[in-house]
Amino acid sequence: LLAGIIAETPSVRVRWLLTSRDQPDDIRRQLGAAISDRFTVRTLRPLSIVAGASYAKDVATREGTSLEADTAAHISRKAGGNPLFIRLLTQSRSQSQNHEHRDESLDDIITRNLDGLAPHRLAVLNGIAAFYNAPDDAALAARALDLRRRFTQLEAELGDGPYFDGARFCMVDAVFGPVFRYFDVFDTIDAFGVLDDLPNVGAWRHALAARPSVRDAVSADYAARLRTFLLTRGSALSRRTVAGTVN
């Protein structure tokens, strides 16, 4: 799920995948070559304030900007030492400096990004897992309706685009790029109607799919690998899935 997020820094030689200690093998099986060939899968612990600040300064340098020591430490502290959040906050600050939002303060940038990851948005991630693990057709339909409700809420929150925060790619986009890739496969299995008649969500989905870091984050056989994964769940969706074909 996080492959697209990680791919946002193509110059980094070692890729980090945030995961709990018991999941790396499952992730390798699901994403196959997209992880095994391109990324190093590790369990990350939060960075110290000093280490996080050093990482933020490195990210800023790659973005063509610079960070004062106190600013880098502030980013590290606000991100809770999470390397992913440190990088995305630093990139947002660099974009603000390089473009039309030079007057946006660091705290404004942090608030804009972290507030974007509100619980009701991140709940979509749990909703997808509940959907593909639903044990029977009734549960599958209920989970589809729940996802529909959550995306309808997102529909009302989206503006002119192309991204969640307008012209600026932010943390919410980094999370939802891979989310929509699931629906590229779900849509070939059956007409669940989760994203039907949601024009803002549809436009957002297409914009993220066109972004190179999202588009190129997985191998060409990702859809087939995801179908194989879905078949192993023993769920209602598994029974509707035929690996490598479209129902």
Side-chain angles (χ1 to χ4, degrees), residues 22 24 63 85 90 120 127 184 193 229 233:
D22 58 349
E63 293 289 317
F85 286 5
T90 304
H120 73 273
D184 292 342
F229 166 75
R233 309 313 296 169

Side-chain angles (χ1 to χ4, degrees), residues 18 44-56 59 67 70-91 106-107 109-111 113-115 117 171:
L18 280 74
L44 288 186
R45 301 186 187 281
L47 299 177
S48 68
I49 298 300
V50 173
S54 177
Y55 178 54
V59 172
L67 284 178
D70 58 344
T71 301
H74 188 51
I75 289 175
S76 177
R77 190 176 298 108
K78 286 291 187 178
N82 184 316
L84 171 65
F85 286 5
I86 290 171
R87 178 170 58 75
L88 290 172
L89 289 174
T90 304
Q91 288 178 327
L106 176 59
D107 282 335
I109 293 169
I110 290 170
T111 298
N113 277 276
L114 296 185
D115 282 358
L117 294 176
M171 286 188 183

Side-chain angles (χ1 to χ4, degrees), residues 92-143:
S92 289
R93 181 182 182 276
S94 296
Q95 291 172 11
S96 293
Q97 286 187 325
N98 288 334
H99 300 292
E100 69 274 17
H101 304 285
R102 292 178 179 271
D103 58 341
E104 187 176 33
S105 71
L106 176 59
D107 282 335
D108 287 342
I109 293 169
I110 290 170
T111 298
R112 171 166 57 82
N113 277 276
L114 296 185
D115 282 358
L117 294 176
H120 73 273
R121 297 184 189 119
L122 293 182
V124 172
L125 307 181
N126 291 331
I128 289 175
F131 175 75
Y132 65 62
N133 283 313
D136 53 46
D137 286 344
L140 184 67
R143 299 290 79 75

